[in-house]
Amino acid sequence: MKLLLAKAALAPLLLAQGRQVRRKALRLPEAAGPRHGEVGDGELMLRLLILGDSSGAGVGASHQDEALAGRLSRALARRLGGRVRWQLVARTGHNSAQALSHLQSTDLQAADVLVTALGVNDVVGQVGSQSWLQTLQAIDAHARQVAGVRYTLHSAIPPMHAFPLLPQPLRWWMGAQAMRLNQRLGQALAGTAERGVQAMPDELHGAKNRAAVQALMAPDGFHPGPAGYRLWAESLSERIALEAFKDA
């Protein structure tokens, strides 16, 4: 209710700031490089599927090796002591519904684990929480049916309240919406063994040191840079190593 009242009161300013951000934002390309591969040595330990928006596509990094897919697959190979085969399905600008359509139209490799990096564009597009949750559930169901996924880890929506690009109060508003969706997702998945949600690393939240956050971000002030992707990937790999193999 408080957010709705704030939105009504701030609507003209939020709209104006949103237009200004879109007009002035630095537009970076998706990371170069293949969208599938294999890393590590020894026996095949894990098959990984990553579904995402621009952050999943590696905007802010020059090559997939420095972006989420490359860093996460290598981190998992290192933690598990084996090989990781990975596939990336991601496109700039996609909200969760568009990512689902992209997934459904892609020839998927077999996968054990699905990681989603989605939600920022749902916040920007003001997608309702119930619709967002239903779409994530449909993504999980499709990945299980078609690729054989047995564990899905949803990366939480990034801390938009710490994005250097966004002015106040737009930064506060989008951050509050992101936290609300993350909270709803956590509640929906409570007690669920086959799916989980992983918060972004504390270093990206910027509560104590915004200058440190900027050092982890890309020049556009909206996407991670290579250092931010490294922290993000390590956090996800630790959770996957714990959850995906706990019954093995």
Side-chain angles (χ1 to χ4, degrees):
M1 180 60 71
K2 290 182 180 180
L3 282 178
L4 290 176
L5 291 174
K7 178 183 177 182
L10 296 171
L13 178 57
L14 295 175
L15 287 171
Q17 288 185 332
R19 288 193 294 267
Q20 182 183 41
V21 167
R22 285 191 291 271
R23 186 170 61 250
K24 294 185 175 181
L26 177 64
R27 288 171 172 79
L28 299 176
E30 297 180 354
R35 297 293 178 103
H36 58 87
E38 192 171 299
V39 295
D41 297 310
E43 303 220 357
L44 180 64
M45 296 290 294
L46 186 73
R47 298 168 299 180
L48 176 67
L49 173 62
I50 302 168
L51 177 68
D53 51 24
S54 55
S55 62
V59 171
S62 61
H63 193 277
Q64 293 296 341
D65 285 346
E66 295 183 320
L68 181 63
R71 290 192 181 275
L72 178 55
S73 57
R74 291 197 304 276
L76 282 167
R78 185 173 62 253
R79 285 184 184 275
L80 300 174
R83 288 186 293 132
V84 172
R85 184 177 298 156
W86 61 273
Q87 180 180 13
L88 172 65
V89 180
R91 189 167 296 159
T92 296
H94 272 186
N95 61 23
S96 296
Q98 292 167 322
L100 172 60
S101 295
H102 192 187
L103 188 72
Q104 292 169 334
S105 64
T106 299
D107 185 13
L108 298 179
Q109 301 174 359
D112 305 301
V113 172
L114 166 67
V115 170
T116 69
L118 295 165
V120 167
N121 293 308
D122 297 87
V123 170
V124 173
Q126 300 183 54
V127 174
S129 59
Q130 192 58 38
S131 176
W132 187 62
L133 293 175
Q134 289 172 350
T135 302
L136 292 183
Q137 185 174 14
I139 286 171
D140 172 75
H142 183 79
R144 289 177 187 278
Q145 180 179 5
V146 176
V149 164
R150 55 187 176 84
Y151 180 73
T152 295
L153 183 59
H154 301 287
S155 184
I157 302 174
M160 299 180 74
H161 61 273
F163 282 9
L165 172 69
L166 301 177
Q168 295 289 17
L170 183 64
R171 184 192 302 169
W172 167 81
W173 165 252
M174 287 192 170
Q177 289 292 92
M179 286 188 280
R180 177 174 173 270
L181 290 182
N182 285 335
Q183 183 180 40
R184 289 293 307 277
L185 179 58
Q187 291 169 345
L189 298 184
T192 302
E194 298 82 14
R195 294 170 66 193
V197 57
Q198 178 65 28
M200 282 286 192
D202 290 341
E203 294 90 336
L204 289 171
H205 283 260
K208 296 182 179 179
N209 191 339
R210 292 196 180 278
V213 172
Q214 286 184 306
L216 299 173
M217 299 290 285
D220 65 358
F222 198 79
H223 293 91
Y229 281 119
R230 178 183 58 78
L231 282 174
W232 187 13
E234 288 294 340
S235 174
L236 292 171
S237 70
E238 182 178 9
R239 178 70 177 273
I240 291 169
L242 286 173
E243 297 291 341
F245 292 90
K246 64 182 179 183
D247 296 326

